[in-house]
Amino acid sequence: MVVENLAEVERNICAACERAGRRREEVTLIAVSKTKPVSMIEELLPGGTRDFGENKVQELCEKYEQLPKEIRWHLIGHLQRNKVKYVVDKACLIHSVDSLRLAQAISEEGKKRGLTVPVLIEVNVAGEESKFGVAPEETEGLIREIAKLPAISVKGLMTIAPFVEDPEENRSHFAKLKKLNVDIKRKSIDNVSMNVLSMGMTGDYEVAIEEGATMVRVGTGIFGERN
Ligand SMILES: *Cc1c(COP(=O)(O)O)cnc(C)c1O
């Protein structure tokens, strides 16, 4: 079933890219496997899927141990500073940095291990009370501070858009994040590249691609409902 689901998501991504005049290679599909067994992940490996997303450090680490090392693990959930040490060498990208204190902890851990840790800044683009992430107007300032740290590198922005019935309701949020990304990129801050825009989930990834997403994070659409 997951193989068929993935094929459908893939067709939708291609169609969205075509509508937006973008190339398929500009968009990375992250299969969000949180709460799902390794056997479901293994079903996708022969087809070439390599990018998987987890929102909990412990689950990411367990799956990391059990599965082939060519998998690229994305940490997409909130990260606590005391868990940084477990994940800096296992995640290819941490999508959820939203404070200087967390960035400092990541950089410190990276330095110890001789790594430069790639991260995205999580932006609370809709200003939802319940969500992690920095306010749009605070994003550039935070990035400028993080850019001074030795062993962490900002690659772009991430957002978790509101849960909505109609994905069109999130279009303006995606457009706003894209604009913020472009504005910050134009500043050419040393050690900051801003080429990654992680936005769009099962309910709204096509709209996100139309608005410039370079990474979409799809869980339910591939693996089915979670409990
Ligand atoms: C769970 C999760 C997703 C995937 O959500 P679906 O709606 O199942 O596609 C994407 N991003 C983050 C940060 C998540 O926690």
Side-chain angles (χ1 to χ4, degrees):
M1 186 195 66
V2 290
V3 170
E4 286 84 353
N5 289 347
L6 181 82
E8 191 186 331
V9 170
E10 185 56 43
R11 282 193 295 277
N12 293 339
I13 291 173
C14 287
C17 284
E18 206 160 305
R19 286 195 295 279
R22 303 182 62 196
R23 288 177 297 117
R24 172 64 186 90
E25 310 83 76
E26 292 175 39
V27 181
T28 300
L29 169 60
I30 300 172
V32 177
S33 48
K34 63 187 185 194
T35 80
K36 300 295 180 181
V38 293
S39 59
M40 285 178 111
I41 295 173
E42 283 167 334
E43 285 185 60
L44 296 179
L45 298 180
T49 306
R50 290 293 177 271
D51 290 274
F52 291 89
E54 290 288 337
N55 69 335
K56 294 209 165 73
V57 169
Q58 190 182 342
E59 192 174 345
L60 188 154
C61 291
E62 283 169 12
K63 287 174 175 168
Y64 176 92
E65 294 305 333
Q66 293 173 55
L67 287 159
K69 293 295 170 280
E70 58 262 34
I71 289 181
R72 291 185 290 270
W73 293 103
H74 296 255
L75 184 70
I76 60 176
H78 185 66
L79 176 58
Q80 289 169 317
R81 280 175 298 145
N82 62 347
K83 304 239 171 99
V84 165
K85 58 179 176 288
Y86 303 115
V87 81
V88 285
D89 59 339
K90 299 187 183 69
C92 70
L93 185 62
I94 297 172
H95 290 229
S96 48
V97 172
D98 63 356
S99 73
L100 184 57
R101 275 162 39 118
L102 175 59
Q104 283 165 336
I106 292 170
S107 181
E108 236 164 74
E109 199 58 41
K111 199 173 162 191
K112 272 187 209 161
R113 296 162 191 243
L115 302 169
T116 299
V117 184
V119 303
L120 305 179
I121 305 304
E122 181 172 352
V123 181
N124 185 353
V125 78
E128 290 179 286
E129 292 263 345
S130 59
K131 293 259 166 83
F132 293 108
V134 282
E137 55 278 13
E138 287 165 9
T139 305
E140 184 184 331
L142 176 61
I143 289 175
R144 287 189 183 278
E145 290 304 310
I146 295 175
K148 297 174 192 161
L149 301 173
I152 183 171
S153 169
V154 177
K155 302 296 181 191
L157 305 179
M158 176 273 221
T159 198
I160 303 174
F163 183 78
V164 291
E165 283 298 320
D166 178 2
E168 287 298 329
E169 290 176 50
N170 279 335
R171 187 179 292 279
S172 63
H173 298 312
F174 295 142
K176 185 173 174 182
L177 195 71
K178 166 75 184 183
K179 181 174 184 304
L180 186 61
N181 201 69
V182 169
D183 288 348
I184 296 172
K185 187 172 181 171
R186 281 212 188 98
K187 310 270 166 92
S188 300
I189 303 166
D190 271 354
N191 186 31
V192 173
S193 59
M194 302 308 283
N195 291 321
V196 180
L197 202 48
S198 169
M199 58 186 193
M201 305 174 23
T202 295
D204 54 19
Y205 64 92
E206 293 159 277
V207 172
I209 289 169
E210 289 169 12
E211 295 303 326
T214 70
M215 285 184 181
V216 292
R217 311 177 306 265
V218 179
T220 310
I222 296 170
F223 295 104
E225 296 286 345
R226 290 176 297 272
N227 292 328

